[in-house]
Amino acid sequence: MGELTFFLGLQVKQKKDGIFISQDKYVAVNLKKFRFTEVKTTSTPMETQKPLLKDEDGEEVDVHMYRSMIGSLMYLISSRPDIMFAVCACDWYLKGQPKLGLWYPKDYPFDLVAYTDSDYAGASLDRKSTTGSCQFLGCRLISWQCKKQTVVANSTTEAEYVAASSCYG
């Protein structure tokens, strides 16, 4: 069958010292599909200093296009750790950073390491915290998550404990 180079939207480049997995072709198809080829680019997935607020005066969104776009972004994060914590990341970031991916170097140790963090009461509407975590096997990213906590934490310590237990689970 030959060397694996493309599988389920993932581009695989096998080299002597490791494997690189990316989705730049998948990004290009989705930028065109959602008409984002002419938008202004950005270097980070999300504005870091502006809180997300409900837009009371905003236009109605085409729910079918929105669901399709979110589904495409969810699939895309399988090889894009730069947007793993930004589910709200939009295609103007992807347009500016289409060739990023995961590098899995050969001959590295396989120690399981996990990192986690939370933002205490970061959601302005309900004051819930957001948990983010990632797990590495050696230097290889194997899992990540980002989600709003189900409880309202009473302190930063409690928010961090909730994040740690979620990461451990």
Side-chain angles (χ1 to χ4, degrees):
M1 289 177 43
E3 183 178 306
L4 177 69
T5 57
F6 195 79
F7 181 72
L8 296 176
L10 296 172
Q11 291 163 249
V12 181
K13 294 179 184 156
Q14 299 182 41
K15 299 183 177 187
K16 291 179 189 174
D17 56 344
I19 297 172
F20 183 70
I21 298 174
S22 67
Q23 289 183 312
D24 43 311
K25 288 182 183 177
Y26 184 78
V27 169
V29 166
N30 280 289
L31 289 174
K32 186 176 180 180
K33 178 180 178 182
F34 299 116
R35 299 184 303 275
F36 278 101
T37 53
E38 303 302 319
V39 298
K40 192 168 92 174
T41 61
T42 185
S43 60
T44 58
M46 221 170 138
E47 178 64 48
T48 58
Q49 301 302 318
K50 293 182 182 176
L52 293 177
L53 301 171
K54 187 174 184 178
D55 186 2
E56 300 289 344
D57 303 325
E59 296 178 27
E60 288 291 320
V61 175
D62 177 3
V63 79
H64 299 292
M65 187 176 92
Y66 174 78
R67 288 180 180 161
S68 179
M69 188 183 300
I70 294 301
S72 296
L73 285 171
M74 295 301 289
Y75 182 72
L76 182 65
I77 65 173
S78 67
S79 74
R80 295 294 300 266
D82 54 313
I83 61 170
M84 67 183 154
F85 294 121
V87 176
C88 297
C90 293
D91 289 321
W92 61 83
Y93 171 69
L94 296 174
K95 182 183 177 208
Q97 309 292 332
K99 297 197 181 291
L100 295 178
L102 296 175
W103 172 247
Y104 294 98
K106 190 177 179 181
D107 299 329
Y108 272 78
F110 280 101
D111 300 328
L112 182 61
V113 179
Y115 299 95
T116 185
D117 195 13
S118 69
D119 68 337
Y120 173 62
S124 60
L125 295 177
D126 58 9
R127 306 303 296 159
K128 289 185 178 178
S129 303
T130 303
T131 294
S133 66
C134 57
Q135 294 80 27
F136 291 84
L137 190 57
C139 66
R140 296 162 177 90
L141 180 69
I142 58 169
S143 178
W144 60 82
Q145 71 172 347
C146 178
K147 65 180 185 177
K148 191 186 289 190
Q149 293 182 358
T150 57
V151 297
V152 176
N154 293 321
S155 67
T156 56
T157 304
E158 184 181 356
E160 294 292 342
Y161 275 120
V162 172
S165 66
S166 175
C167 178
Y168 179 77

